[in-house]
Amino acid sequence: MLPEIAALLPASIDDTWTYGQVKAVEDLLIEQGTFHFPRLETGLFAAATSAADDFHLTGYQNVWVRDNVHVAHGHFLWGEQTIAVQDVQALLAFFATQKQRLVNMIEGRTTPDQIQQRPHIRFNGRTLTENSESWSHAQNDALGYFLWLTSRLATTGQLELSIEQAALLNEFPHYFQAIDYTTDEDSGHWEEERKVEASSIGVVVAALKQWAVILDEHPKFRTAGRGATSEFCSQLVHRGEDALARILPYECRQENSRKARAVDAALLFLIWPLQVTTEPMARTIVANVSDQLAGPYGIRRYLGDSYWCADYRTLVSAEKRSTDYSEDQSARDQLLKKGFEAQWCLFDPIISIIAGEWYRAHGQPEDLALQKFHLLRGLTQLTPPESRFGPYKCPESYFCEAGTYIPNDITPLLWTQANLRLALVGMLQSLST
C-alpha cells in the first residue's frame, strides 16, 4: 500500500476504523487525481486515458456503453448528478442513430446472428457515430445497462424524457423479446465467445423492471412509438427470472465445454448495482468469486481467461491486444499458462460495496470485516510512484511480465476509478451507522 495511505488508515481489518480516517484517504486520492474523470465534449467518457505513444492501438479511446453507465452511475451516487445526466443524454442521442437497427430486429429484417446489424455498443464518443471496424456488438448487457440507468435517472426526476426519447426506449423491450434474451447467445461483459450468460440476462431483467416503473409513472409514454406497458415488461422479466433460477450461481450451463462456466466475476454486478439476486444467492456468488478467482494482486474475470495473460505484450502485438475475439479466441487461449490469468482491479471494490450493503442491513461484524478487507485490497492495487503510469492510478488489471506482476497498458481505467470511489463512499456510510 502507498505509504501516504498507510499513514492514514489502519492496515488491519481487526483495528477500529473511523469515519475521519477513511474520509482522509478519500480526500487524499481526490487531491492526487485518482478520481479524475476526463470527459469528451459530448459528456461521455472514453474507457481509459493514457499518454503512451501506442495507446490509440488499444481502442480504449472509444466509448463503451457499459463502461459509461457504470462511471455515470458512480457520479450520480456520489453527488455529481449533472454529469450523470449529461452522459445519459449523450447515450440517448447515440441510440437515436441506432433505432433502425432495433426496428429491423423487431420486425424480422435482421436476425440475431447478424452481429454487425445489432445496435452498436462501442462507438466514437466525440462524434456520436459508429466505428467502421467489425466488433462484438452482441452485448445484451450493454443495452440493458443503458435502459436501466436511463430509467433510474428518470424515476428520480434528474432526467426528463421527451416523447421521442420514450418512443426510442419503448423499442428495447420489443427488441429483447425479438431476440429472446433468455436464450440468446451474446458476448456479454467480456466481449468474447457468444453464450447464454446469466450476467447478461440479469442486466436485462433489471432494466425491464426499471422501465416498467417509468411506464406506470408516465401513462403518456405507454403509447409512444411502438408502445409498451409495464405488464409487457413484467412478462419479459418473469422469463428472465426463470432463466436465472436455472443458471445461477453459474454464469453459463450450456453443454458446450468452451461455453460452460461455473464462476465469473461479472455475476457480481447482478448483486450490485442491479440487485436482481436474493441475498443467499448473492452470498454464494461472492464466496465463489472470492474462493476461486481471487489472487494476490486482484481478481480474475474467470478461470482460463487469456486476455492479458503472462507476457501478453511480448506474445501479442499492440494492435491485436484488444481486438474482437468473439468469433474465435482459441489462438489467444493457447497463450495462457495455467494460473497466470490477469488479475483485475474492478472487483475488490465491488465486493467491498456489497459487503457494506449487507453490514448496514444486518449489522453483522463479519460483513464489516469483509467490506474492510476488499477495500484494503482495492487501495493496495493503486500504482506506486515508480510505476510507468505514475502513482495513485487505478489499473484495469495486473498481469505477469517476465515473472513480475505489473499494471497492464489500460491504466488508468475509469470503471475501476468509479468502483474504488464508491467503495470509499460505502465505507463512510458503514462508519456513519
Side-chain angles (χ1 to χ4, degrees), residues 33-53:
T34 302
F35 301 134
H36 173 56
F37 293 87
R39 293 195 295 158
L40 304 175
E41 297 85 350
T42 55
L44 294 168
F45 300 95
T49 58
S50 175
D53 293 338

Side-chain angles (χ1 to χ4, degrees), residues 48-121:
T49 58
S50 175
D53 293 338
D54 60 356
F55 177 70
H56 66 285
L57 297 176
T58 69
Y60 276 69
Q61 73 279 6
N62 285 300
V63 159
W64 270 262
V65 173
R66 179 189 310 103
D67 292 51
N68 267 260
V69 168
H70 279 278
V71 173
H73 182 237
H75 281 78
F76 172 72
L77 291 182
W78 64 64
E80 296 183 89
Q81 288 88 357
T82 299
I83 290 176
V85 170
Q86 289 173 347
D87 183 275
V88 168
Q89 287 172 330
L91 289 176
L92 279 162
F94 172 72
F95 275 109
T97 73
Q98 302 297 293
K99 184 175 181 178
Q100 193 58 48
R101 296 186 181 278
L102 293 162
V103 169
N104 288 343
M105 190 72 72
I106 294 166
E107 298 181 356
R109 286 187 287 276
T110 57
T111 57
D113 62 326
Q114 294 177 278
I115 306 305
Q116 303 313 309
Q117 300 307 314
R118 294 198 188 205
H120 287 201
I121 52 74

Side-chain angles (χ1 to χ4, degrees), residues 96-381:
T97 73
Q98 302 297 293
K99 184 175 181 178
Q100 193 58 48
R101 296 186 181 278
L102 293 162
V103 169
N104 288 343
M105 190 72 72
I106 294 166
E107 298 181 356
R109 286 187 287 276
T110 57
T111 57
D113 62 326
Q114 294 177 278
I115 306 305
Q116 303 313 309
Q117 300 307 314
R118 294 198 188 205
H120 287 201
I121 52 74
R122 180 177 106 147
F123 61 94
N124 186 319
R126 298 183 183 277
T127 60
L128 302 184
T129 55
E130 297 177 0
N131 294 326
S132 59
E133 84 274 19
S134 174
W135 196 252
S136 53
H137 292 299
Q139 296 183 35
N140 299 333
D141 66 298
L143 302 181
Y145 277 127
F146 163 66
L147 181 61
W148 171 77
L149 184 59
T150 303
S151 304
R152 182 162 186 201
L153 293 184
T155 59
T156 64
Q158 300 290 328
L159 175 67
E160 185 174 346
L161 296 172
S162 68
I163 289 292
E164 292 75 16
Q165 290 170 331
L168 168 65
L169 295 169
N170 272 341
E171 301 286 0
F172 281 81
H174 293 282
Y175 177 88
F176 293 134
Q177 180 189 50
I179 64 171
D180 187 2
Y181 79 99
T182 66
T183 61
D184 182 56
E185 293 189 328
D186 82 327
S187 292
H189 287 73
W190 313 138
E191 303 187 318
E192 296 182 337
E193 185 172 2
R194 294 190 297 279
K195 55 188 176 296
V196 180
E197 302 176 283
S199 62
S200 289
I201 294 170
V203 181
V204 177
V205 166
L208 291 168
K209 284 183 175 180
Q210 285 287 335
W211 185 238
V213 172
I214 293 294
L215 293 171
D216 279 340
E217 292 178 346
H218 302 276
K220 63 182 179 180
F221 289 166
R222 299 172 195 167
T223 56
R226 192 178 303 274
T229 65
S230 60
E231 291 78 13
F232 174 53
C233 292
S234 294
Q235 290 171 5
L236 293 174
V237 165
H238 291 325
R239 291 168 57 185
E241 290 176 335
D242 287 344
L244 290 176
R246 294 191 300 270
I247 301 171
L248 291 175
Y250 279 48
E251 166 73 329
C252 176
R253 289 187 184 267
Q254 288 175 262
E255 293 183 3
N256 185 326
S257 60
R258 283 193 57 82
K259 298 181 179 183
R261 184 173 300 162
V263 184
D264 193 308
L267 293 170
L268 294 172
F269 302 118
L270 303 190
I271 308 169
W272 196 95
L274 300 173
Q275 299 179 329
V276 296
T277 66
T278 64
E279 185 175 316
M281 179 60 72
R283 289 185 180 274
T284 296
I285 291 170
V286 168
N288 288 345
V289 169
S290 299
D291 294 344
Q292 300 184 44
L293 301 183
Y297 302 94
I299 294 177
R300 302 165 179 87
R301 299 191 300 182
Y302 59 90
L303 297 179
D305 182 11
S306 58
Y307 179 62
W308 283 97
C309 61
D311 299 312
Y312 198 65
R313 290 195 296 180
T314 302
L315 298 171
V316 182
S317 61
E319 62 272 13
K320 292 184 178 180
R321 289 173 196 159
S322 298
T323 193
D324 179 6
Y325 284 101
S326 61
E327 294 297 333
D328 183 7
Q329 65 186 61
S330 58
R332 193 189 74 185
D333 287 348
Q334 292 176 6
L335 304 176
L336 175 67
K337 300 175 184 177
K338 186 176 181 180
F340 282 89
E341 299 92 344
Q343 298 179 35
W344 284 56
C345 306
L346 285 173
F347 306 119
D348 281 295
I350 288 292
I351 297 179
S352 181
I353 294 167
I354 293 168
E357 294 277 322
W358 293 339
Y359 173 69
R360 293 190 296 277
H362 307 299
Q364 295 301 310
E366 57 266 29
D367 290 330
L368 180 61
L370 186 67
Q371 183 183 13
K372 289 179 177 180
F373 176 77
H374 285 282
L375 176 57
L376 283 173
R377 278 175 56 94
L379 293 171
T380 302
Q381 292 157 3

